[in-house]
Amino acid sequence: MDVKGTRQSLEKINVQALAVPVFKGEKPVRGVLKQLDRAVNGLISSVIKTEEFAGKEGETAYFHLSGKRLKARRLLLIGCGDRGDYKARQISQMAGTAARFLRSKSVKSIAIVPRTDANPENAAQIVIQGAIMGLFEADKYRTKEKEERELARIVVSIDDADEKALQRAVERGRIVGESVNFTRDLANEPGAYMTPTILAERAKEVAKEFGMSVDVLDQKRMEKLGMGSLLGVARGSDEPPKLIVLTYEPRNEAIGTKGELLALVGKGITFDSGGISIKPGENMELMKYDMTGAATVVGVMRAIAQLKPSIPVLGIAPCSENLPSGKATKPGDVLRAMTGKTIEVINTDAEGRLVLADAIAYAKKLGATRIIDMATLTGAVSIALGDVNTAILGTDQTLIEAVIDAGKGVGEKFWQLPLDDEYTKQIKSDIADIKNVGGKKAGTITAAAFLKEFADGTSWAHLDIAGTAWGDPATPYRAKGPTGIAVRTLIEFVERSARQATS
């Protein structure tokens, strides 16, 4: 896809369609909207006056144009609600709506006008990200009724931006948007087509294409390291587990040179039946997306390798299936993690924290000084926060706040939950050091308390993305299915960390 930024006037942009945000109650009395209204002979004023379009969030108005003042032959107005609420999230959703709507009309080239007072380069990046994300469809395996229309060119129009800076921002937006969609594609793959082995191969392809090193630990290496927690989950499946390690190193700088190393760790349960504690059959098909944390890690590393921040980053993905069989771990069994800590397994469906335990310990072994893990970890988080906010917990308040602030910068929402010491009492075992569930109360928090036992002594934050990693139903700006949540936030976090490290 061709993406571009331009400072040309709307009249001169050579595209098939223009997409322009309009705010609630707004009239075309000044600026870009007034200019455009004149160019279309008062069409915008007319539709607003008749109250067919009021600029409410989610509204659209679509026109075929005549006349010679615009090269574009179509115009899409997109309602964005109150002007004061028009920030990164709304800009991204507006761009996604534009791309999806106009593609459905067989438009091949579009120009989007952000109409924001925000930094022009930042706005351009968000627009391109949002538009590319809007084009994702989860229809890979359809043979009929598949979206065959293609949007080949996206232009973002900002007349007060530096030309070179604008092009850099657009390119960055393309890299991030494509990496989000890469993550969504991985998460959407059926379990038969995305086993731990296949996911490891995909990670190797990414490493080769974008210049990272990769190491994939097999079962024998994990056994030598004593990763009994991860291997206990894998025991019930015929598919061998894998522990993927992607390493990004800045040019001319070895890992650990400055004593700081960030690790991103993502749960990679490529299919989760619940194991012996088997899940109900309803909606079990969605458990193919239980590896979204691992997909997020690979997607973020894919972008980082292209954006080339000045700090080293590890991407670690512990991958396994969780299936019932005669070999599977049983409720009541005791596993020994890499750290030597013993774990009583109360429920085999609380397996994500088991694979993450050894992965976090391995990140520390590799020298990580800051760890952010992400996982579709608990159903409880959906009850607590729904599909709006991603839960964040951890041991380092500065790290937690930095992730939340990075999310605000790209339009993703995070909400911090408490992690008081009292919650750890709920995971105390009668026969082992800890148990893998803490009862019905505060399920999201006790899951984090479990992980805290393995991140102990390290700056650590945990993202429970179970409620936000899958979007249902579809929206005007997003297809039904995997959302790619946290990819943009983590990329933003890494880049901000790099800037701080060099300032």
Side-chain angles (χ1 to χ4, degrees), residues 203-421:
K204 289 178 181 178
E205 291 169 6
V206 169
K208 182 178 180 180
E209 182 176 0
F210 298 109
M212 291 182 287
S213 60
V214 60
D215 184 24
V216 178
L217 281 67
D218 61 12
Q219 183 167 334
K220 288 185 178 180
R221 289 178 65 189
M222 286 187 267
E223 287 173 351
K224 288 182 179 179
L225 288 164
M227 293 184 175
S229 187
L230 193 164
L231 293 173
V233 175
R235 192 183 299 165
S237 174
D238 290 337
E239 290 289 341
K242 304 291 181 182
L243 182 68
I244 302 165
V245 182
L246 289 165
T247 304
Y248 164 75
E249 296 185 45
R251 292 178 181 176
N252 304 319
E253 184 176 347
I255 280 190
T257 299
K258 295 184 178 180
E260 294 289 332
L261 177 59
L262 172 66
L264 306 176
V265 181
K267 169 187 171 184
I269 301 297
T270 58
F271 188 80
D272 181 19
S273 72
I276 296 297
S277 307
I278 197 163
K279 295 175 180 289
E282 184 178 5
N283 295 326
M284 194 192 286
E285 71 276 6
L286 294 181
M287 287 301 96
K288 63 182 182 178
Y289 92 106
D290 211 23
M291 42 65 72
T292 301
T296 300
V297 166
V298 179
V300 171
M301 296 300 290
R302 179 186 186 278
I304 287 172
Q306 296 175 77
L307 296 172
K308 303 187 185 307
S310 60
I311 61 171
V313 184
L314 292 177
I316 300 177
C319 302
S320 170
E321 292 183 335
N322 184 28
L323 296 176
S325 76
K327 301 180 297 179
T329 293
K330 301 172 288 293
D333 283 354
V334 174
L335 305 177
R336 188 178 296 274
M338 179 181 170
T339 60
K341 195 178 293 287
T342 56
I343 304 161
E344 181 186 9
V345 178
I346 303 298
N347 188 325
T348 63
D349 194 24
E351 84 300 327
R353 64 204 71 181
L354 297 175
V355 301
L356 286 172
D358 280 335
I360 289 170
Y362 192 62
K364 292 173 66 176
K365 179 180 175 64
L366 293 178
T369 56
R370 291 188 299 170
I371 299 172
I372 302 173
D373 79 73
M374 61 231 63
T376 49
L377 204 64
T378 67
V381 76
S382 297
I383 304 301
L385 298 177
D387 59 0
V388 177
N389 283 274
T390 296
I392 183 169
L393 308 91
T395 58
D396 184 339
Q397 191 60 35
T398 300
L399 176 62
I400 290 168
E401 290 176 0
V403 173
I404 293 172
D405 196 56
K408 290 178 180 177
V410 300
E412 294 185 326
K413 295 183 178 183
F414 296 82
W415 191 266
Q416 184 178 2
L417 296 179
L419 193 55
D420 305 86
D421 290 340

